[in-house]
Amino acid sequence: MSSDLGMRRRRAVWRASHRGTKEMDYLLGRFAEQAVDSMNSGEISVLERLIEMQDPEIELSVYEGYSLGDKDLDTLIALIREFHDFPGARH
């Protein structure tokens, strides 16, 4: 079970860092590199769902604070915004 979790963590970091745009690679990749080791299976599932989304949706949420319509995804976006010290991010 733990090796499966380790594989999911490594895959999530790689996918978050290789999205195709430098901005998203940086925003999601840096966050994932720092946070993924402390994430449990459920939290990694939320990160995996976010990674599956299209960049424009994620960008609006990260840059502008728009809701993705899902409490878990919005919580993750808030953590990403806080990690990168975006204006209005919670502390």
Side-chain angles (χ1 to χ4, degrees), residues 62-82:
V62 170
Y63 293 136
E64 304 295 330
Y66 287 104
S67 173
L68 292 172
D70 178 290
K71 181 182 144 225
D72 293 333
L73 289 173
D74 289 344
T75 299
L76 180 58
I77 290 292
L79 292 173
I80 293 168
R81 288 175 54 84
E82 182 178 350

Side-chain angles (χ1 to χ4, degrees), residues 7-17 32 36 44 47-48 51:
M7 177 63 79
R8 287 178 64 203
R9 285 179 171 141
R10 288 187 297 277
R11 186 179 309 129
V13 169
W14 192 89
R15 290 178 60 218
S17 302
V36 75
I44 291 173
L47 178 60
E48 290 167 337
I51 291 169

Side-chain angles (χ1 to χ4, degrees), residues 80-91:
I80 293 168
R81 288 175 54 84
E82 182 178 350
F83 175 80
H84 288 291
D85 203 25
F86 273 84
R90 66 181 185 191
H91 288 278

Side-chain angles (χ1 to χ4, degrees), residues 1-9 11:
M1 174 85 162
S2 66
S3 72
D4 178 53
L5 188 57
M7 177 63 79
R8 287 178 64 203
R9 285 179 171 141
R11 186 179 309 129

Side-chain angles (χ1 to χ4, degrees), residues 13-29:
V13 169
W14 192 89
R15 290 178 60 218
S17 302
H18 294 84
R19 297 190 56 82
T21 63
K22 286 183 182 183
E23 293 84 6
M24 282 293 107
D25 289 353
Y26 178 80
L27 288 173
L28 295 182

